[in-house]
Amino acid sequence: MDFATPRRRRPAEAIVPMINVVFLLLIFFLMSAQITPPAPFDVTLPESENDNAARPADTLYMDAQGQLAFNTARGEAVYDAIAARAAPDTPLQIRADARLEAQALARFLPELAARGIAEIELLTGMP
């Protein structure tokens, strides 16, 4: 018979599996997270009662003064960048400031149609 006292585990050995689980969770969340680029300027979305969430797509930004931004293009270069976008069959999302006049947006839409954009989505926020 072996009456020797059982070998005690060191406290560090008990923590190693927990550290492994934490690192695996960290890797999982980093791999599954969707990292979006920051907005080129601050835009306050108009409010809507509709709760349909927008799917990720190409987004055109318009501020209250009518300045345009699309990916890295700014100003007049936006038109060429929109025409050369990777997925022309998907709708173009417009993230316009709530203070932007509707006439300014309406004047902009024929420019998009001339470059082959047939469908747009105007993003809104919840009240």
Side-chain angles (χ1 to χ4, degrees):
M1 291 186 130
D2 186 15
F3 292 111
T5 58
R7 192 174 131 220
R8 298 187 66 166
R9 293 178 99 187
R10 293 183 297 190
E13 289 177 359
I15 254 176
V16 170
M18 185 170 61
I19 292 173
N20 289 341
V21 168
V22 168
F23 278 120
L24 286 173
L25 286 173
L26 177 67
I27 291 170
F28 170 76
F29 287 119
L30 287 175
M31 296 294 290
S32 63
Q34 180 179 1
I35 300 172
T36 58
F41 36 75
D42 188 32
V43 173
T44 304
L45 294 177
E47 296 178 353
S48 170
E49 296 297 324
N50 192 350
D51 62 350
N52 291 340
R55 58 190 178 280
D58 293 331
T59 304
L60 171 71
Y61 291 87
M62 296 180 76
D63 71 354
Q65 289 76 35
Q67 293 179 355
L68 302 173
F70 181 76
N71 294 338
T72 58
R74 303 289 184 269
E76 294 297 318
V78 165
Y79 297 116
D80 294 330
I82 288 172
R85 65 190 183 125
D89 56 331
T90 60
L92 176 69
Q93 290 184 350
I94 298 178
R95 193 176 186 100
D97 196 286
R99 297 167 297 190
L100 179 71
E101 293 183 15
Q103 292 91 1
L105 182 60
R107 285 190 302 266
F108 178 68
L109 294 179
E111 292 287 337
L112 291 178
R115 285 166 174 76
I117 305 299
E119 187 177 351
I120 65 162
E121 293 177 349
L122 184 60
L123 299 179
T124 59
M126 294 296 290

